[in-house]
Amino acid sequence: MKKRRFPILIMLILGIIISMLVPVKASNISLEYSVEPNGNKGAIIKANQTVSATVSDQSLATVETSQNQVVVTAKSGAVGVVDLMLYCGNTQKLVQIPVGYTTFYFNDNTLTVINGKDTTYEITGINKNDEEIVPDYTTDEQGNQVYQNADNYSLNVGIKKKGGTFAFYGSSDDMTITVKKEATGDSNLLLEGLNLKSSFTSPITVKKDSTAKVYVNCLSGYTNTLTDATLNNSDIYGDTASGGNGTNASYAESAVIKGKSHSDITLCGSGILNLDCKSKNAIKVGEFGNLTIKDLTLNIQSAKHGISCDNLLNIQSGTLNVNALEDGIRTDPDSVDEELGKLGKINIENGKITIKSGLDAIQSMQDIVISGGEFDITTLGGYNDKTFNSKTMSCKGIKASADTDSTDKSTNNIVISGGTFKLNCADDAIHSDAFVDIKGGTFEIKTGDDGIHASTTLDIGIKGDNNENINIIVINSYEGLEAGTVNISSGNISMITSDDGINAAGGADSSGGGGFNPGGGHGWSRPGAGNPPSGNTSSYSLNIYGGNIYVNATGDGLDSNGSLTLSGGNIIVWGQQSGGDNEPLDSDGALTIKGATVFAAGSSRMITTPQNSQPYITSKTSITSGKTINVKYNNSTVFNTQAIKTVNYVLYS
């Protein structure tokens, strides 16, 4: 009897049924939407997909959903920000809707004011001739005041000194927002889809001598764009006493967002803020002022500088994309004096920061402290840009450097304890006129000059620490690490250089920077720094206490104009190939090897002999590139590697 075969059709049907019973994870759906605020009484959201929605606080608003449309209606008397969550499959989007606050709706040449909780504001008309009027208004069907730009005057919303919370949305080609002089109450500016331009001044200005905090809060779910004009550049059109031609003496602020002296500004929220600078700075905060950036997505396009602050610049979190023809992020006061509140410092705690700058990417007149973040930095056209001129340009990645008027009080410390850094720079990738202290972080460096340069002391790592916290890869450089005194205590460090690998030396760096101040008692006082070298601390020295270090140099591998001490770590050095005048280990003072494992190979023309050192082996046998180097002791191979270049000198200890 023939065996019955299970029909193929039935098997296929069963397979389909089984597959339908197995849960399938919904794929993320591309959800796009637009928000139409209804004054301060709610909003209508229109999506490209069928959505559902909830609000976090039902005491503020109700929500009704119909396929791809959501209607949010504020409850009577409610004041606050409604957190509305849109759902479509596995996709969720947060939209924040302010209700109950006084709200300003910009619509071309008209401004509608919907009064709410705080009413400490005034509407004026201003022009570049420093003339001011109180404009007339009409009343719409809802009883709201409606203003219109008059001939030669543009409308300005002025927040008075008691401050408050206000909402802004809509679009205008020539209106502005100002927090008035000597404000004492905090001001919270809620941006819910604002596209604002000014033809002659800053779209947002915080006047001087304010003791209030100003929050520019970009609400979640919205894109906001602020733009100025070339006439806003005070260097060209400002007061004649300051070098301008006087055509815009009173209102040229040289920034899209301008905070005058003593301003305390925080850019925050989960939304998007685009700044298009036609004048000088996308953001400028004057002396004694503070600028904080957190959470938001900030996109900057600037004709000159991106972000400039004269006192303290603090980046806590968020996504920053800066494209500036000159400096990207900087503190640049006329002088520095911490006692007077002229700090000139940058503190970065976290965030995703991308900078494309024509000059320096991050530049401080005093200190730069970085504890975390993800950095992608390009200066000029990158490490191989042929237009870079070291005599006339500074195109460094991260730079702490004071001008000649501030050197007596400027400390110029760069302290990095965490973060990931991708640095592609025409000039030094990291540069300080004094001290660099790297306690953590991952660095990928391409530079046309030095990878890391400190004019006084460079400290890398912490003695006794493992090597997992620091990873430095210098893919292209003139010199990899350079300072008057170099101390390496831990980390994984590798470099390829066209001149010296690690250099402890005096004189100007190759980019024409200031001379060295070697040694540096100041550097030794910082936590995590190594022990100072014995003898005169003002002499040049290169000290390696630990770490895994690989050097491939065209010049000297390790070069010290003073002492060279290798007392820990695993060190592999390839110096100039045979026939050159450079050596793998070059020291003008004592070369001491005690506690480190060292392999060094290069040219035999000039040799520095270790003194008071642990046992070592040397050879002057010529070895061609690609051949295997076997280091033997008592007929046993203790180290072997393939030659990456032709050498005729090898030291192993």
Side-chain angles (χ1 to χ4, degrees):
M1 180 180 292
K2 293 183 178 180
K3 293 182 179 180
R4 292 185 177 181
R5 299 180 181 273
F6 206 57
I8 295 175
L9 180 60
I10 295 177
M11 294 176 66
L12 289 172
I13 293 173
L14 285 174
I16 294 172
I17 293 173
I18 292 171
S19 67
M20 293 175 64
L21 295 175
V22 177
V24 178
K25 186 177 180 181
S27 60
N28 289 333
I29 297 172
S30 176
L31 176 58
E32 299 177 359
Y33 59 90
S34 62
V35 184
E36 300 175 4
N38 179 21
N40 60 4
K41 298 176 177 62
I44 298 174
I45 295 93
K46 296 180 179 179
N48 66 335
Q49 307 282 347
T50 298
V51 295
S52 60
T54 60
V55 292
S56 60
D57 188 347
Q58 296 182 0
S59 68
L60 290 176
T62 60
V63 59
E64 295 181 4
T65 305
S66 176
Q67 294 185 348
N68 68 331
Q69 181 171 291
V70 178
V71 178
V72 179
T73 304
K75 290 191 174 181
S76 178
V79 178
V81 176
V82 177
D83 286 343
L84 174 75
M85 190 65 73
L86 296 176
Y87 301 94
C88 183
N90 284 345
T91 301
Q92 302 180 18
K93 298 285 187 179
L94 174 64
V95 181
Q96 294 180 304
I97 301 167
V99 297
Y101 298 110
T102 293
T103 299
F104 302 92
Y105 168 46
F106 299 82
N107 185 13
D108 293 331
N109 287 320
T110 64
L111 171 66
T112 302
V113 182
I114 304 102
N115 277 314
K117 178 176 180 290
D118 295 318
T119 57
T120 54
Y121 69 88
E122 63 182 13
I123 307 299
T124 57
I126 59 175
N127 63 25
K128 66 183 180 64
N129 297 322
D130 197 22
E131 298 170 337
E132 185 174 311
I133 63 170
V134 178
D136 295 328
Y137 64 87
T138 59
T139 303
D140 65 12
E141 295 177 355
Q142 289 76 38
N144 301 316
Q145 297 172 357
V146 180
Y147 298 83
Q148 188 164 359
N149 276 348
D151 291 340
N152 299 320
Y153 293 92
S154 63
L155 293 174
N156 172 257
V157 178
I159 308 302
K160 293 183 179 179
K161 61 185 300 182
K162 290 186 179 180
T165 299
F166 305 88
F168 303 83
Y169 72 94
S171 178
S172 175
D173 283 342
D174 201 10
M175 294 186 192
T176 53
I177 301 167
T178 299
V179 178
K180 304 292 284 186
K181 182 178 179 180
E182 297 176 350
T184 56
D186 293 351
S187 297
N188 192 3
L189 313 182
L190 307 178
L191 307 189
E192 50 171 335
L194 178 65
N195 189 335
L196 191 61
K197 299 179 182 179
S198 175
S199 64
F200 62 94
T201 190
S202 300
I204 295 180
T205 303
V206 179
K207 294 292 188 177
K208 66 180 181 178
D209 299 331
S210 168
T211 59
K213 296 181 183 297
V214 177
Y215 300 89
V216 179
N217 192 338
C218 300
L219 298 178
S220 181
Y222 305 91
T223 298
N224 308 278
T225 301
L226 305 177
T227 307
D228 71 347
T230 55
L231 190 60
N232 190 34
N233 191 333
S234 62
D235 292 344
I236 302 173
Y237 305 104
D239 195 334
T240 54
S242 301
N245 65 13
T247 57
N248 192 17
S250 297
Y251 280 101
E253 301 288 4
S254 294
V256 177
I257 296 178
K258 175 62 176 288
K260 295 196 174 185
S261 63
H262 295 88
S263 298
D264 191 335
I265 300 175
T266 298
L267 305 182
C268 57
S270 301
I272 299 171
L273 178 60
N274 300 322
L275 301 181
D276 187 0
C277 174
K278 308 293 187 184
S279 59
K280 185 176 180 181
N281 306 283
I283 304 170
K284 173 65 178 181
V285 176
E287 62 182 6
F288 313 106
N290 300 319
L291 174 64
T292 301
I293 298 172
K294 62 180 182 179
D295 299 337
L296 83 167
T297 296
L298 178 60
N299 300 314
I300 289 175
Q301 186 77 33
S302 180
K304 198 167 184 181
H305 307 306
I307 301 171
S308 184
C309 181
D310 285 353
N311 190 40
L312 179 61
L313 171 57
N314 184 29
I315 300 173
Q316 296 180 356
S317 58
T319 299
L320 279 68
N321 300 301
V322 180
N323 193 328
L325 291 184
E326 294 191 14
D327 293 341
I329 298 173
R330 69 177 195 157
T331 60
D332 192 32
D334 293 333
S335 62
V336 294
D337 191 328
E338 293 194 28
E339 294 180 359
L340 295 178
K342 300 179 180 182
L343 294 176
K345 291 186 176 182
I346 296 174
N347 179 47
I348 301 176
E349 300 175 23
N350 213 326
K352 184 175 182 180
I353 301 172
T354 302
I355 301 174
K356 175 71 170 65
S357 64
L359 296 177
D360 299 321
I362 300 175
Q363 184 266 333
S364 176
M365 284 281 284
Q366 286 215 85
D367 300 344
I368 300 173
V369 178
I370 300 175
S371 54
E374 181 180 342
F375 298 80
D376 189 343
I377 291 174
T378 303
T379 65
L380 206 59
Y383 74 97
N384 58 354
D385 193 308
K386 304 302 181 185
T387 65
F388 172 64
N389 185 336
S390 63
K391 295 181 180 179
T392 60
M393 304 170 71
S394 178
C395 300
K396 297 173 173 63
I398 301 172
K399 169 186 168 184
S401 179
D403 61 24
T404 55
D405 295 332
S406 305
T407 52
D408 57 334
K409 293 187 177 181
S410 186
T411 51
N412 294 140
N413 291 306
I414 296 177
V415 180
I416 301 175
S417 57
T420 60
F421 301 81
K422 185 177 181 181
L423 303 166
N424 183 9
C425 306
D427 205 344
D428 296 348
I430 299 174
H431 175 104
S432 171
D433 283 356
F435 305 98
V436 175
D437 190 353
I438 296 179
K439 304 173 185 295
T442 298
F443 304 80
E444 178 188 299
I445 295 174
K446 296 179 182 177
T447 170
D449 203 347
D450 299 336
I452 304 175
H453 172 99
S455 293
T456 299
T457 302
L458 168 60
D459 291 317
I460 298 177
I462 300 173
K463 289 187 69 175
D465 195 12
N466 61 37
N467 297 315
E468 298 177 358
N469 296 324
I470 298 174
N471 295 280
I472 301 173
I473 300 175
V474 182
I475 298 172
N476 190 96
S477 68
Y478 178 72
E479 292 187 337
L481 311 177
E482 183 179 48
T485 296
V486 179
N487 303 301
I488 300 175
S489 298
S490 64
N492 300 301
I493 304 169
S494 67
M495 65 195 70
I496 300 173
T497 69
S498 61
D499 194 51
D500 299 339
I502 304 176
N503 188 21
D509 70 354
S510 63
S511 64
F516 289 111
N517 175 22
H522 176 78
W524 300 110
S525 66
R526 296 194 303 280
N531 296 320
S534 60
N536 184 357
T537 58
S538 67
S539 61
Y540 305 108
S541 63
L542 197 169
N543 310 287
I544 298 178
Y545 305 103
N548 299 313
I549 299 167
Y550 175 87
V551 175
N552 179 5
T554 304
D556 294 318
L558 306 182
D559 181 12
S560 176
N561 283 12
S563 62
L564 174 55
T565 303
L566 310 178
S567 57
N570 300 298
I571 304 166
I572 296 176
V573 178
W574 297 91
Q576 187 177 35
Q577 68 181 17
S578 60
D581 292 332
N582 295 291
E583 53 186 313
L585 304 177
D586 181 9
S587 176
D588 290 350
L591 167 59
T592 303
I593 305 175
K594 277 190 175 182
T597 299
V598 182
F599 170 84
S603 174
S604 65
R605 184 169 295 183
M606 298 175 64
I607 297 298
T608 300
T609 303
Q611 301 175 17
N612 191 28
S613 297
Q614 67 193 28
Y616 61 91
I617 300 169
T618 61
S619 171
K620 292 186 178 181
T621 303
S622 181
I623 303 169
T624 58
S625 176
K627 297 296 183 180
T628 299
I629 298 176
N630 286 303
V631 179
K632 292 186 176 182
Y633 181 72
N634 290 336
N635 295 321
S636 297
T637 298
V638 294
F639 181 86
N640 66 55
T641 188
Q642 188 178 57
I644 64 171
K645 61 184 70 175
T646 299
V647 298
N648 59 4
Y649 175 75
V650 171
L651 177 146
Y652 180 80
S653 180

